Amino acid sequence: MAIRSEQSRQAILQATMKLLDEREPDSVSVQQLSIERIAREAGVSKTTIYRWWPSKAAVIIDTFLENHIVQTTMRDDLPAVDALREHVVALAKLYAGHEGRLMAQLIAESQYDTATLDTFKTLFWRPRREVVNRVIERAIAEGSIRSGYSPDELAERIYAPIYFQLLFREGAFDADTISAGFELALHGIAGQPHANGSATATA
C-alpha cells in the first residue's frame, strides 16, 4: 500500500508539472488548472489528491518544491556569505526558466486569493526563509555581514531584487548580473563621506 501510495503521489506531482509546463501542447496556467484536470492527467481520483493536499495551490507548491529545493540547496560546507552568494545565483538561474514563470503565476494568484497566499507562505516562503535566516545568522557570527539588523531585514535586501526582476521582467538572470546585485546588497550603496560630512560615490 505504501508503495502504491507513493506511486500515486509521484504521478500527481508529475502530472501537475506537465500541465503547467508551457512547452507541453496541452499546458494551462496556474489559474486555469483544476484538481479535476490533475486527477485526469495522473489517472487517479480527486479523493486521492485530497488525501494529501487540501487545495490546488498546495499541489502546485509541492510540485514546485520537488524541483526547486534540489536545484537551490543552501550549502553548509562553505563560509556563510559564500553559501548565500551561491544560493542567490542558483535561485536566479532557476527563475530564468519555466520555474520562474510558474513562481510568478503563483505569486500573482496569491494576491487575490488569501487561501493561496496562506498556503504559499506556509509551504514555501516561511520554511525557505528560515533556512536563509540561519545562514545569515551564521554570516553575522563569522563577521562577514554586519550586526544591528534582523535576519529578515537582511534577507529582504538580498533576495528582493530577484523577485522584482521575476515579476516585472526587468534585468537579466545571468550569474554575473545576479552576483553584482548580491555584492551591492552586501556592501550597501552609501558613498564615502568627506571630511565636511557630505558623501561621494566610490568607484
Side-chain angles (χ1 to χ4, degrees):
M1 284 295 294
I3 292 174
R4 285 202 298 272
S5 292
E6 180 58 21
Q7 288 174 339
S8 295
R9 194 183 79 87
Q10 287 299 323
I12 292 164
L13 294 174
Q14 291 169 12
T16 303
M17 183 58 79
K18 180 181 178 181
L19 288 168
L20 290 172
D21 189 340
E22 73 273 13
R23 296 165 296 189
E24 295 288 338
D26 297 321
S27 66
V28 296
S29 68
V30 167
Q31 188 174 8
Q32 294 169 330
L33 187 64
S34 66
I35 291 291
E36 290 81 1
R37 186 72 183 273
I38 297 170
R40 188 165 62 250
E41 180 70 27
V44 301
S45 67
K46 291 193 296 182
T47 303
T48 299
I49 295 177
Y50 284 120
R51 184 184 305 158
W52 288 299
W53 297 280
S55 66
K56 175 187 77 173
V59 182
I60 295 171
I61 292 166
D62 266 3
T63 300
F64 183 81
L65 284 173
E66 285 277 315
N67 186 54
H68 178 92
I69 292 178
V70 171
Q71 297 191 54
T72 59
T73 56
M74 184 73 81
R75 293 173 57 181
D76 57 11
D77 59 335
L78 295 174
V81 72
D82 293 335
L84 280 170
R85 183 185 292 105
E86 184 177 278
H87 182 259
V88 165
V89 172
L91 184 65
K93 181 180 179 181
L94 184 70
Y95 283 172
H98 162 68
E99 291 81 1
R101 291 183 287 278
L102 176 56
M103 174 57 75
Q105 290 180 49
L106 273 172
I107 294 173
E109 179 141 324
S110 296
Q111 302 313 296
Y112 61 84
D113 185 340
T114 56
T116 298
L117 180 60
D118 289 342
T119 302
F120 179 77
K121 287 181 177 180
T122 299
L123 296 181
F124 177 80
W125 190 255
R126 292 190 185 111
R128 298 303 289 164
R129 173 61 70 88
E130 289 174 4
V131 171
V132 169
N133 283 1
R134 286 197 295 270
V135 179
I136 289 175
E137 289 170 351
R138 183 160 65 89
I140 292 172
E142 292 171 357
S144 54
I145 291 180
R146 63 179 174 173
S147 59
Y149 294 93
S150 71
D152 277 336
E153 289 175 309
L154 295 168
E156 287 167 5
R157 272 62 183 177
I158 294 170
Y159 288 89
I162 293 179
Y163 286 92
F164 177 88
Q165 290 176 226
L166 177 68
L167 294 174
F168 288 94
R169 300 184 182 183
E170 293 284 347
F173 273 131
D174 62 274
D176 289 343
T177 299
I178 298 304
S179 294
F182 178 84
E183 295 304 324
L184 181 61
L186 186 64
H187 298 295
I189 62 173
Q192 182 68 35
H194 284 305
N196 62 8
S198 63
T200 183
T202 56

